[in-house]
Amino acid sequence: MYDYAPAVIEVARGDTVDIEVAATDVVHGLYVEGYDVSVTADPGQSARLSFVADRPGTFRFYCSVSCGPLHPFMSGRLKVGGNGLFWRAVGLTLIAAAAVLLLRLE
Ligand SMILES: [Cu+2]
């Protein structure tokens, strides 16, 4: 109640995020700001939420069901990092450029 575990979720941009929300006490929800997706889980049940993290940044997620006095404080953060494929491509290009330079020096 009033807490998410983990409270911080980190993914890479472009990842398909599959969140399973398990409510261990009362009905809880999870709404992700910026992505405008939400899910509600009944007590003792779990519910799934799936979306593609196509926007980088840090987004707040919070409970969408009024679950008690501390409900407004039930929140966490979703961190969507850089595009892994893009940086891998940049890294490969740099390695290729370095290889060309080495060949020229010989
Ligand atoms: Cu709540």
Side-chain angles (χ1 to χ4, degrees):
M1 196 172 231
Y2 314 133
D3 221 352
Y4 288 109
V8 178
I9 299 171
E10 286 186 65
V11 299
R13 187 179 179 186
D15 277 0
T16 297
V17 184
D18 207 2
I19 299 173
E20 186 168 350
V21 181
T24 52
D25 42 27
V26 298
V27 183
H28 287 293
L30 189 146
Y31 171 79
V32 185
E33 232 171 41
Y35 280 91
D36 199 29
V37 288
S38 67
V39 71
T40 306
D42 287 327
Q45 305 278 310
S46 65
R48 287 189 103 87
L49 175 66
S50 194
F51 60 95
V52 176
D54 53 3
R55 250 171 289 172
T58 301
F59 304 90
R60 215 167 73 90
F61 62 77
Y62 50 85
C63 184
S64 53
V65 179
S66 192
C67 55
L70 295 179
H71 163 73
F73 303 101
M74 186 168 170
S75 69
R77 272 171 300 148
L78 167 74
K79 290 183 179 178
V80 182
N83 188 327
L85 276 176
F86 172 75
W87 288 109
R88 238 168 281 157
V90 169
L92 283 176
T93 307
L94 287 175
I95 290 167
V100 169
L101 280 174
L102 284 173
L103 284 173
R104 288 207 178 144
L105 287 172
E106 277 172 9

